[in-house]
Amino acid sequence: MKAKIIAITALASVSLSLNAQKLNFTPDLVLGHRSYTYMHNVNYYFNDRLKLNNLTLFDTEYTKDKENIFFIRNTLAYSFTKRFSVNAAFGIKNPGAFFSAYVQYRIAKPTYSLSYSIGTTYQKGFSLEQSVSFEYTPYLKENLQGYFSVLAIGNLDDNGYPRGLQFIRLGVKQDKIMYGVASNFDQFNNAKKTLENVGAFVKYNF
């Protein structure tokens, strides 16, 4: 219940402060067979090179709170070029606070984008963190595009694979709204514990 209140509060506060010239906001909601997931990305642009990003995710089961997942990360990014940036982040995720520093390479085209990042995260010890994000939006007809996206994040440390996730979306895009089918996969403690959630999603670019 607490996660639901936090998610609604975060959505409301961001919506009230939205400034189209400097800030964009992208909420993503999944209604799955196991749980519902709320995720958003907020980007605030100080200038062409400096950006502040907030990524917030809550995944909560419908009837009980035993498997709740939370992830809140605030990142300051400085772009040396259109494709290369350095990032410093802090936040909180299962099981607690963390700090990250990483570099990112990103390609953005009208119908697709691809980014790869690598760096270190400290949360009760250091780990190597890598992430890949890919989005493809081919035109199907006028005012209608296909939509396919993959986000994969993995951590490696001296003990193996402490945390990983993969989010997949497949559907259509009409102007600023996207909807279709979604699947979320999470791994914990060398995949000794795994969670899956498959259902429908809706996403909007403000």
Side-chain angles (χ1 to χ4, degrees), residues 83-103:
R83 294 186 175 184
F84 179 74
S85 66
V86 293
N87 304 263
F90 70 92
I92 185 169
K93 62 179 178 179
N94 307 81
F98 70 93
F99 301 90
S100 298
Y102 59 95
V103 295

Side-chain angles (χ1 to χ4, degrees), residues 3 8 12 18 23 39 68 75 85 94-95 107 139 142 147 160 164-165 174 180 191 200 206:
I8 293 170
L18 196 63
L23 187 143
M39 179 172 66
N68 285 350
T75 304
S85 66
N94 307 81
I107 299 171
Y139 279 93
E142 188 176 1
Y147 181 76
L165 64 83
Q174 293 178 294
F206 284 93

